[in-house]
Amino acid sequence: MSTESNSDQHAYLVTGGAGFIGCNFLRYLLETEPDAKVVNLDLLTYAGSLSNLQDLPDTGRYTFVQGDITDADLVAELFEKHGITRVIHFAAESHVDRSITGPAAFIQTNIIGTFTLLEAARKAWAGREDDCRFLHVSTDEVYGTLAPNDPPFSETTAYAPNSPYSASKAASDHLVRAYLKTYKLPVVTTNCSNNYGPYQYPEKLIPLMILNALTGKNLPIYGDGLQIRDWLYVMDHCSGIHAALSRGRIGETYNIGGLNEEANINIVHLICDILDELRPKTGGGSYREQITHVTDRPGHDRRYAIDAEKICTELGWAPAESFQTGIRKTVEWYLDNQIWVNSVMSENYDEWISLNYADRKEGMDQ
Ligand code: NAD
Ligand code: TYD
């Protein structure tokens, strides 16, 4: 994997840098580009936390701004004040279950927020597009769902989003494309598969299962648990984004996947087995005994899989982690970072858990 440094002194606007992928990317960027200046614009919603950034090196090249990407005046001011030439756009409402119970925030942040950033970039970069880049971070969920024998998603797969989350991300992808075609804005889009790793908020499958297991709670599998995702270790995603940013062709999209298709139930079994080894249950027995099948998610996509051939061959990217190595690192990280866990599992967290799981009946009949 290449970790080349850009010698030009770029000024980055990273949105959503206090969230899961954004905070990992900030570490990667500050290390990989020793001359880059970085502004992190994050609203600090329930999903964003400054505790994700506590160990960032104190380089003097990094500025945090708490604010909303839909605030056009603030965004324009940041472009102007910091001379922004690179945008890496992570900020989003990112959880499918929340988009089912409350879609409005997804429309606002994911669509209006992306529009606001595109407009600011268009105005600030007019006449000097060649020196600038806007990298939009998106998801494979825009392509909808795959049947068991379908080929994996490629960059030419038609969009068919099924959840309010994926529909809002699809809309943002279309806006990004339109700004390229209409205004020649220098954009690159990446669509990646499910990420996992350190600092992921414990509403998503992997951290939720690790922490529920350790606290003696049920491990809620939606439906039969045979839904498939393609798991990508977060640092591999960060290197893919950086490759797309530094070597990707303007106007292209690049799919990034972990080459790790796995059914949810197998993921949870593996987590239980690693925990059985690293932190055996005090009363004996296996964490697998806590697995409970619950009512399925409405509109649940059955399978996602990514064909990452384009980024691999064109940009020389490859994931460094296999699922076996990545999941072990991840479980160890959650075991070793109890202070972080306590800091993010606040009152809001319990509120969400009771809202999301209250109506889910045990058993697989829907
Ligand atoms: P996350 O939910 O962990 O973090 C999102 C961050 O955005 C938070 O820090 C939050 O405070 C911030 N934010 C939310 N609304 C904002 C607003 N209006 N203004 C400014 N900041 C705001 O998300 P993540 O998992 O890190 O995902 C990052 C990006 O990657 C998203 O665009 C998501 O769609 C995409 N993505 C994620 C995955 C995944 O598996 N996590 C997979 C594919 C694509
Ligand atoms: P999630 O982490 O929410 O990501 P996404 O919906 O974006 O793929 O869920 C991953 C898979 O795990 C998905 O098929 C839903 C399933 N799932 C459960 O079975 N139980 C849970 O408690 C959660 C949060 C997810």
Side-chain angles (χ1 to χ4, degrees):
M1 187 189 318
S2 166
T3 53
E4 87 276 27
S5 97
N6 286 1
S7 52
D8 318 79
Q9 199 185 47
H10 290 301
Y12 281 86
L13 175 63
V14 174
T15 70
F20 162 49
I21 305 172
C23 78
N24 282 289
F25 183 78
L26 282 174
R27 289 182 178 80
Y28 185 94
L29 181 64
L30 287 167
E31 199 179 307
T32 310
E33 292 200 28
D35 297 327
K37 291 193 174 149
V38 183
V39 178
N40 172 13
L41 172 62
D42 196 299
L43 188 56
L44 298 182
T45 67
Y46 79 92
S49 170
L50 292 180
S51 61
N52 293 353
L53 297 166
Q54 264 171 359
D55 65 342
L56 272 197
D58 183 14
T59 59
R61 298 184 285 128
Y62 168 74
T63 309
F64 175 73
V65 176
Q66 182 172 7
D68 195 325
I69 57 165
T70 65
D71 181 341
D73 291 342
L74 171 65
V75 172
E77 185 194 314
L78 293 178
F79 268 84
E80 161 103 39
K81 183 172 167 195
H82 297 277
I84 299 298
T85 53
R86 296 278 183 272
V87 173
I88 316 288
H89 177 32
F90 292 101
E93 288 291 336
S94 70
H95 191 38
V96 174
D97 288 320
R98 287 183 192 254
S99 81
I100 295 168
T101 54
F106 289 71
I107 305 305
Q108 186 63 18
T109 289
N110 299 1
I111 305 178
I112 307 294
T114 303
F115 162 71
T116 306
L117 290 164
L118 289 166
E119 269 294 276
R122 176 172 80 85
K123 289 176 186 158
W125 295 347
R128 54 190 187 101
E129 286 85 357
D130 286 352
D131 302 328
C132 303
R133 292 283 182 285
F134 187 115
L135 190 132
H136 176 57
V137 179
S138 191
T139 168
D140 60 355
E141 303 194 22
V142 297
Y143 301 121
T145 188
L146 292 168
N149 295 322
D150 284 346
F153 301 130
S154 77
E155 289 80 359
T156 55
T157 303
Y159 275 35
N162 290 318
S163 70
Y165 164 68
S166 53
S168 68
K169 291 297 290 188
S172 70
D173 293 8
H174 289 320
L175 280 170
V176 169
R177 180 189 154 86
Y179 271 67
L180 165 83
K181 296 287 175 185
T182 309
Y183 305 113
K184 306 279 177 280
L185 196 76
V187 301
V188 176
T189 295
T190 55
N191 294 82
C192 74
S193 57
N194 287 61
N195 284 221
Y196 69 102
Y199 300 102
Q200 188 167 30
Y201 190 77
E203 63 187 351
K204 305 275 173 26
L205 180 76
I206 287 178
L208 183 121
M209 293 297 166
I210 297 170
L211 298 179
N212 272 18
L214 291 170
T215 49
K217 299 195 181 100
N218 286 343
L219 307 181
I221 304 279
Y222 297 169
D224 60 12
L226 298 179
Q227 305 86 358
I228 290 172
R229 300 291 183 263
D230 171 357
W231 294 94
L232 172 66
Y233 191 66
V234 65
M235 290 315 291
D236 284 331
H237 184 199
C238 293
S239 68
I241 289 171
H242 195 256
L245 175 80
S246 25
R247 304 192 294 284
R249 284 178 292 142
I250 288 177
E252 292 294 315
T253 65
Y254 294 91
N255 282 358
I256 310 179
L259 319 177
N260 284 306
E261 272 191 69
E262 203 53 78
N264 294 339
I265 188 71
N266 295 339
I267 302 284
V268 177
H269 282 157
L270 189 55
I271 291 170
C272 291
D273 296 349
I274 296 172
L275 284 173
D276 285 341
E277 180 197 326
L278 298 180
R279 187 66 59 86
K281 284 177 85 151
T282 32
S286 167
Y287 290 100
R288 287 192 186 206
E289 290 152 22
Q290 291 166 229
I291 292 175
T292 314
H293 289 266
V294 297
T295 315
D296 207 351
R297 171 189 280 173
H300 198 169
D301 287 335
R302 199 67 187 162
R303 175 177 165 235
Y304 302 141
I306 287 252
D307 173 356
E309 180 69 18
K310 181 175 173 183
I311 190 168
C312 292
T313 53
E314 193 178 310
L315 306 184
W317 173 85
E321 299 291 340
S322 69
F323 191 69
Q324 300 291 329
T325 58
I327 191 70
R328 182 168 280 270
K329 276 189 188 173
T330 304
V331 172
E332 285 170 353
W333 188 88
Y334 280 88
L335 286 172
D336 293 344
N337 286 277
Q338 192 58 46
I339 294 173
W340 179 88
V341 169
N342 294 342
S343 78
V344 299
M345 288 170 87
S346 58
E347 222 174 89
N348 292 345
Y349 178 76
D350 292 339
E351 220 175 275
W352 161 249
I353 292 294
S354 57
L355 177 71
N356 186 43
Y357 294 98
D359 295 336
R360 292 189 193 274
K361 292 196 218 60
E362 287 197 16
M364 276 187 272
D365 345 331
Q366 310 321 308

